[in-house]
Amino acid sequence: MPDADPIAIGAPRHNGNIPGQVRTVLSMMKDLDLRGKPSAAFGSYGLSGEAPMIADELRLMRMDA
């Protein structure tokens, strides 16, 4: 993944939280140097809150979310 261009991560609605599988991927990504990589977050049903939570995680990795 460090050689990837833009990265987009999405999640379905899951009790107002990020599903475990997506959390696992985000956790694995933290071991990579992804600083400055363009990224996007999206969620289903728009208002359930997953996309902003994912975007926060991407920003913590210093990605351009």
Side-chain angles (χ1 to χ4, degrees):
M1 263 167 73
D3 296 329
D5 288 322
I7 296 173
I9 297 182
R13 184 179 184 139
H14 183 73
N15 297 325
N17 209 339
I18 302 170
Q21 297 91 333
V22 177
R23 283 196 180 281
T24 298
V25 168
L26 289 169
S27 177
M28 291 168 38
M29 288 172 59
K30 290 178 182 176
D31 294 334
L32 305 172
D33 181 11
L34 299 171
R35 286 176 285 172
K37 294 272 185 192
S39 63
F42 61 94
S44 60
Y45 304 111
L47 300 175
S48 56
E50 291 82 4
M53 286 184 238
I54 294 169
D56 288 344
E57 293 291 325
L58 296 173
R59 281 190 285 277
L60 287 173
M61 289 181 249
R62 302 175 109 195
M63 295 182 77
D64 185 14

